[in-house]
Amino acid sequence: MSLRSDLAWQRFFAACSFLFVASTFVGLELFWPQPPSFDLTADQTAGYYVAHQTGFLVGVVFCSVGMAFLLAWTVQFGVMLRRLDAGSRVVSTVTVVSLAASPVLLSFDLAIFGVAAFRPDTTSPEITRALSDVAWLSSQHIWPMLAAAMALSGLLIVKTQGRPDSLPRWLGYFGLVCAVAEFGQLPIFFVKSGPFAGDGAGAWYLATFTWGPWILGTGWAMVRVLARQSAALDATAAAAAPAEVDAPAEVDA
């Protein structure tokens, strides 16, 4: 594969951040019902899934597609961080592994959501509520790895300013802020209502609406860095072109 073709693929994978956010936003905000109260009885929870069955199932499909884009973007982010990370590159490795866990684990959670919404009218309400609790709470319990990845990448970005392929300083600080916001999900197993319950503003909404902008901002910065690399490659090729044209032709003996 040529360097130009490789850069084109890298730009696409960086842009997968936009595709992930778009697909997930459609699934979560346009179709998917927001988290039900964890204070609901089993019958009320089952009724919630019956009433919103189609929304759950359509949302699962859109979000599952989004996980493929998220994984592709994560690998590309890891490649670009490794270029910045000197020495053993352990920081970039831990960062990308922590990030890659999210789409893998969330894919299993989405499957559980799909099972809960598959036939809630004929499944025992207790089973439906149990599946719902597992899916909602485990989907949020990726926060320690996500916070670690945001913080580590943020520190690495701030530390490597001034390099030709460095990501912007503001992105590093933004990652640190988003990492702190992830701690809002810490109490989800201890409370069933309030701002830090699984459906609360301090847990579900704070984390969701910081994670998405962080991925969008990071993807945008990645695309810009790769665009500069592509422009530099084109400039190098253009500068070499006259030399090739002016080179003397070989003369047959």
Side-chain angles (χ1 to χ4, degrees):
M1 182 182 294
S2 68
L3 182 56
R4 191 185 308 276
S5 178
D6 181 69
L7 278 172
W9 276 110
Q10 289 190 58
R11 292 172 72 177
F12 169 73
F13 292 138
C16 280
S17 60
F18 311 134
L19 299 175
F20 159 71
V21 172
S23 179
T24 306
F25 181 85
V26 170
L28 279 178
E29 301 302 324
L30 298 186
F31 291 99
W32 194 302
Q34 295 305 294
S37 170
F38 289 87
D39 273 337
L40 295 180
T41 66
D43 288 334
Q44 290 172 328
T45 302
Y48 188 83
Y49 275 81
V50 171
H52 300 286
Q53 182 180 25
T54 300
F56 270 115
L57 295 176
V58 174
V60 164
V61 172
F62 272 100
C63 291
S64 296
V65 172
M67 293 306 109
F69 293 128
L70 178 59
L71 186 58
W73 170 81
T74 299
V75 173
Q76 179 61 37
F77 187 40
V79 168
M80 296 179 72
L81 287 180
R82 283 181 66 82
R83 293 172 186 159
L84 297 175
D85 194 9
S88 66
R89 297 181 174 177
V90 66
V91 174
S92 58
T93 300
V94 172
T95 299
V96 72
V97 171
S98 298
L99 278 178
S102 296
V104 175
L105 295 175
L106 287 174
S107 293
F108 284 103
D109 296 327
L110 288 166
I112 297 172
F113 276 119
V115 171
F118 187 56
R119 42 186 162 209
D121 52 340
T122 59
T123 301
S124 167
E126 287 76 14
I127 293 177
T128 297
R129 185 171 66 169
L131 290 171
S132 179
D133 287 348
V134 169
W136 279 117
L137 295 175
S138 61
S139 69
Q140 296 179 65
H141 202 51
I142 63 171
W143 74 265
M145 292 171 288
L146 188 55
M150 289 172 166
L152 288 172
S153 62
L155 291 172
L156 183 59
I157 289 169
V158 172
K159 180 182 176 182
T160 55
Q161 288 302 298
R163 299 185 184 181
D165 50 356
S166 63
L167 294 163
R169 185 187 302 272
W170 64 262
L171 181 63
Y173 290 121
F174 185 46
L176 294 174
V177 171
C178 291
V180 173
E182 289 294 316
F183 279 81
Q185 298 172 95
L186 189 152
I188 58 175
F189 288 111
F190 299 95
V191 292
K192 297 181 177 64
S193 61
F196 293 102
D199 62 330
W204 169 253
Y205 292 99
L206 179 62
T208 300
F209 291 105
T210 52
W211 187 32
W214 177 72
I215 290 178
L216 282 177
T218 306
W220 178 80
M222 290 163 62
V223 169
R224 297 232 355 183
V225 169
L226 292 168
R228 291 199 299 268
Q229 293 178 5
S230 182
L233 180 64
D234 291 340
T236 301
E244 294 177 0
V245 172
D246 295 340
E250 293 184 3
V251 178
D252 294 334

